[in-house]
Amino acid sequence: MAVERSGPGNLVVSGVLGVLAVSEVLLRSTDLGGGFALLLLLTLASTLPLALVLGSGGPARSGTAVAVSTACVLSLVPFGILTVGGVVAQLVCVYVLGRAGATRLGGLLVLPYVVIALGSHEEPTRIVAVLVATLASAAAATGIAHHARSTALAHSATEQAFADTLLEHAARGERARIARELHDVVAHHISMIAVQAETARLTTPGLPAEGATRLLAIGDTARTALTEMRRLLGVLREDADTGVQRRPQPGLGQLIDLVDESRDAAGSRTRLIVSGPIATLDPGIEVTAYRIVQEALTNARRHAPGAAVDVELRYGEEDLAVRVRDNGPGPVAAGLSGHGLLGMRERAATVGGTLRTGPAPGGGFVVEARLPVKSEEEQEQEGAARP
């Protein structure tokens, strides 16, 4: 039963029902005397307000539906007449209320007809009341079923949209993680293959021409693979960072901010100590050192809350020494076999460094990493150049 239409359509429906109802009264009621005018008013009141029921919502719709139902009941009880237009209006009212979720009010509008059917002594009035009560109950049930179905569909659509959003977020996060791994690990090793092949071709004494050609081909292949990987990384990051402003990888220049944030979060003393000639290092070394310090500070806050922490950086000619020490309870509370420590070891290993964790002298826990600032080829060349 389609009842919700545009404003002009609602007026037409209620007007047609009103004309039909008045015509029916004029044909059936010729001996009512002074009550005839009142019956006409009740007939109009039971049909014309239907436009408001169809076109409005909330309290206005509920109040108008109650008015229509009251006019129908008053037409039936004193006069024994309920027009077809009034019956249709009554059915539409309970249907619209049920469809809008006002189930209690719809049930209350059916109740007077049940009372009339049980208590009336006039057979025609009782028959009409039973008929209207039955039809109105069916209309209300239909509206309630439509409301329940619409609500279920809306909930299902919301849940599906939420699930799709979660799935897309997880997929983007996974693509971003893969991109980081490719950039930090695989691309690094491929670039090292290219460097090693080129270095071997240029520095190996007495290298046959065929060997030099193969080394050149290895270097070219590695550089091609690196170019393709950068293209793939661009695709992955473009998809993963849709709508997100990309931030540069952190380095040692951001360590002071990291230490300040850790101090504010932990509410304890956290110091940054730097020694040695400060130099700009390879971005891979800097981001590795930053992540190691970040994870060590996180572990200190988690396992040694309130403990003082010292972050030390020592710049050397061959390596960068990173040391994070707290004066907390030591290795037991620090979780020596945790995933965080394993991740730090893996990060250090990807750049050719080492990492040690354990009890600190005098108590507490310490994380020490040594990260080479020069590649193996540069170290070998320097060693060969020394007398």
Side-chain angles (χ1 to χ4, degrees):
M1 184 184 296
V3 296
E4 294 189 15
R5 301 185 178 122
S6 61
N10 297 336
L11 292 175
V12 170
V13 170
S14 61
V16 169
L17 290 179
V19 171
L20 293 176
V22 170
S23 301
E24 184 178 349
V25 170
L26 292 175
L27 292 175
R28 294 174 56 185
S29 305
T30 58
D31 56 349
L32 293 178
F36 183 73
L38 178 59
L39 180 58
L40 283 178
L41 290 176
L42 291 174
T43 301
L44 293 175
S46 67
T47 53
L48 294 183
L50 185 62
L52 294 178
V53 176
L54 296 175
S56 61
R61 174 171 51 201
S62 300
T64 306
V66 171
V68 170
S69 182
T70 302
C72 290
V73 172
L74 292 178
S75 297
L76 180 60
V77 175
F79 300 102
I81 296 175
L82 182 58
T83 64
V84 174
V87 172
V88 173
Q90 182 68 88
L91 298 181
V92 171
C93 285
V94 295
Y95 170 79
V96 170
L97 291 175
R99 183 173 177 177
T103 56
R104 293 183 179 179
L105 182 56
L108 289 176
L109 296 186
V110 178
L111 184 60
Y113 297 99
V114 177
V115 174
I116 295 171
L118 295 176
S120 177
H121 299 290
E122 300 291 336
E123 189 67 20
T125 300
R126 186 185 306 167
I127 293 174
V128 173
V130 170
L131 179 63
V132 174
T134 304
L135 294 177
S137 299
T142 304
I144 294 171
H146 189 280
H147 173 72
R149 183 167 60 252
S150 300
T151 302
L153 290 176
H155 287 171
S156 177
T158 301
E159 292 175 357
Q160 184 62 41
F162 183 69
D164 292 342
T165 301
L166 288 180
L167 182 61
E168 179 63 20
H169 181 73
R172 288 184 178 179
E174 183 64 15
R175 287 191 289 269
R177 187 191 68 80
I178 293 173
R180 286 195 300 270
E181 294 297 326
L182 289 175
H183 177 272
D184 295 342
V185 181
V186 181
H188 170 75
H189 290 299
I190 293 178
S191 63
M192 292 303 299
I193 292 174
V195 171
Q196 290 175 356
E198 190 68 17
T199 302
R201 184 176 66 86
L202 296 176
T203 60
T204 302
L207 181 67
E210 183 178 355
T213 300
R214 291 186 176 181
L215 288 174
L216 180 61
I218 292 173
D220 291 340
T221 302
R223 282 186 287 271
T224 301
L226 197 58
T227 300
E228 291 297 321
M229 180 168 291
R230 289 195 181 102
R231 181 187 62 80
L232 177 60
L233 287 175
V235 173
L236 287 174
R237 283 173 173 163
E238 181 180 359
D239 189 24
D241 298 340
T242 301
V244 179
Q245 185 177 3
R246 194 176 301 173
R247 301 173 62 183
Q249 287 279 16
L252 296 180
Q254 286 76 46
L255 267 186
I256 185 65
D257 296 330
L258 179 63
V259 170
D260 290 340
E261 292 175 4
S262 177
R263 183 188 302 113
D264 295 338
S268 59
R269 181 177 63 84
T270 304
R271 299 188 302 175
L272 175 61
I273 304 171
V274 181
S275 61
I278 299 176
T280 301
L281 305 179
D282 181 84
I285 299 295
E286 291 206 4
V287 71
T288 299
Y290 181 93
R291 295 304 185 193
I292 289 175
V293 172
Q294 184 180 43
E295 183 63 33
L297 290 174
T298 301
N299 281 349
R301 288 198 303 270
R302 181 182 303 136
H303 302 293
V309 183
D310 285 341
V311 179
E312 301 179 34
L313 289 182
R314 183 178 59 80
Y315 289 84
E317 294 185 0
E318 297 183 354
D319 58 25
L320 172 70
V322 180
R323 188 171 186 264
V324 181
R325 179 194 173 188
D326 65 68
N327 62 355
V332 175
L336 192 58
S337 61
H339 293 288
L341 300 182
L342 178 60
M344 287 190 285
R345 289 194 181 93
E346 291 176 346
R347 283 189 177 276
T350 58
V351 295
T354 59
L355 185 131
R356 184 188 73 84
T357 60
F365 190 76
V366 65
V367 175
E368 293 180 319
R370 290 189 173 273
L371 310 177
V373 298
K374 296 180 180 180
S375 64
E376 296 180 359
E377 291 76 14
E378 292 174 332
Q379 295 178 11
E380 290 177 358
Q381 291 177 7
E382 289 183 359
R386 293 173 185 170

